[in-house]
Amino acid sequence: MKIALFSTCLNDVMFPQAAQATVRLLERLGHTVAFPREQACCGQMHVNTGYYPEAMPMIRNYVSTFEPVLDGEWDIIVAPSASCTGAIRTQHAMVARTQGDEELATRAERVAAKTVDLPELLIDVLGQADVGAYFPHRVTYHTTCHSLRVTRVGDKPLQLLNHVDGMDFVPLPDADVCCGFGGTFSLKNADVSAAMMSDKMGNIKATGAEILVAGDYSCLMNIAGGLSRTRSGIRAMHLAEVLAGTRDEPWVAPATNTKVGA
């Protein structure tokens, strides 16, 4: 399968290991991955805070960059982020229509229909819950809000983790409760956000896990910051990083990349 990668701007700038691990995983499974260099932010932050006109150039850029998927240049578009995937599928056409650009809205709907989060690609499109991964660590999993309530990936990440060889998986109490990040919510409501994250950290520490896994580095950035400041010793990793390695070829992020939560 020919797969176009939308890395997302947060991963590209701060946590490239999520996109790199996605490429490693998909190529290991025999697929061809393309990285269109014209890609940029999907505009979610602008839309979430009401800046619809300012988001329009980013929506146009996403549509024009990934529109070749409709002509067969790629079979599908994958993003290692339920948050950005959800924004593309629920916001792009809506914003374009609100701003009076029906032609862009129609194109955005067609491209969005070809955009999936990584667990959706592996389970729904490729039908592969067992990707041959090996990860000999005690792990717990946080279900991000966008994956639960917007892209609705359900238990697909857990299906993938349950097939990882060598893993000691520990369910996270209240895994479906928000970590308190919520994009600009954490800036506008810092006290409430900090209280929510404190509860989340308490649950994570109670599992005795070495590593917290999630499907979005935005939430991981928030939680891992707290885990690091409290010297928990618990690392945070993206789902793709757990799935990328095998017993013979473990996944190790390039040394120049940012690592959070260590």
Side-chain angles (χ1 to χ4, degrees):
M1 179 172 268
K2 295 177 294 184
I3 302 168
L5 173 67
F6 176 50
S7 70
T8 81
C9 60
L10 183 73
N11 286 332
D12 191 38
V13 174
M14 300 183 68
F15 308 106
Q17 60 267 37
Q20 291 165 332
T22 299
V23 173
R24 164 79 174 277
L25 168 64
L26 295 177
E27 289 185 341
R28 179 167 67 73
L29 296 177
H31 304 287
T32 300
V33 183
F35 180 82
R37 292 185 176 275
E38 295 79 9
Q39 64 183 276
C41 175
C42 66
Q44 180 187 180
M45 184 174 66
H46 302 72
V47 177
N48 287 353
T49 45
Y51 290 92
Y52 286 15
E54 289 80 2
M56 284 291 281
M58 285 163 270
I59 294 172
R60 286 195 187 93
N61 183 68
Y62 183 86
V63 171
S64 63
T65 298
F66 289 99
E67 206 165 27
V69 72
L70 303 177
D71 298 324
E73 184 163 338
W74 314 297
D75 298 302
I76 203 158
I77 306 158
V78 67
S81 164
S83 178
C84 298
T85 301
I88 291 160
R89 296 211 297 238
T90 64
Q91 294 180 344
H92 279 189
M94 178 273 292
V95 172
R97 203 157 274 131
T98 300
Q99 295 300 302
D101 194 334
E102 182 62 33
E103 186 264 345
L104 177 62
T106 300
R107 292 167 57 203
E109 286 174 337
R110 296 183 67 201
V111 176
K114 289 281 191 177
T115 304
V116 295
D117 189 13
L118 180 61
E120 295 177 307
L121 174 65
L122 295 171
I123 300 292
D124 295 339
V125 180
L126 302 177
Q128 195 161 4
D130 186 350
V131 297
Y134 176 70
F135 196 76
H137 297 283
R138 187 175 176 88
V139 167
T140 193
Y141 184 82
H142 166 64
T143 305
T144 68
C145 292
H146 271 77
S147 71
L148 186 68
R149 301 177 179 89
V150 181
T151 55
R152 300 181 185 278
V153 301
D155 68 349
K156 295 180 181 69
L158 299 182
Q159 292 182 45
L160 294 161
L161 291 174
N162 285 337
H163 284 85
V164 175
D165 189 22
M167 175 181 291
D168 178 13
F169 180 78
V170 190
L172 176 65
D174 294 330
D176 59 346
V177 174
C178 178
C179 68
F181 180 55
T184 55
F185 172 84
S186 60
L187 302 176
K188 296 177 178 176
N189 303 277
D191 291 342
V192 176
S193 174
M196 295 170 73
M197 189 176 68
S198 178
D199 290 344
K200 180 63 67 177
M201 286 194 298
N203 285 331
I204 294 169
K205 292 175 183 177
T207 66
E210 303 167 60
I211 297 170
L212 167 70
V213 176
D216 227 305
Y217 251 118
S218 53
C219 304
L220 286 172
M221 176 176 64
N222 182 50
I223 302 170
L227 292 173
S228 179
R229 286 192 293 276
T230 56
R231 302 183 184 278
S232 69
I234 302 172
R235 283 194 61 195
M237 296 180 71
H238 192 279
L239 177 65
E241 297 177 85
V242 174
L243 301 178
T246 65
R247 187 181 292 268
D248 294 332
E249 297 182 79
W251 162 255
V252 179
T256 54
N257 286 357
T258 302
K259 297 181 178 64
V260 296

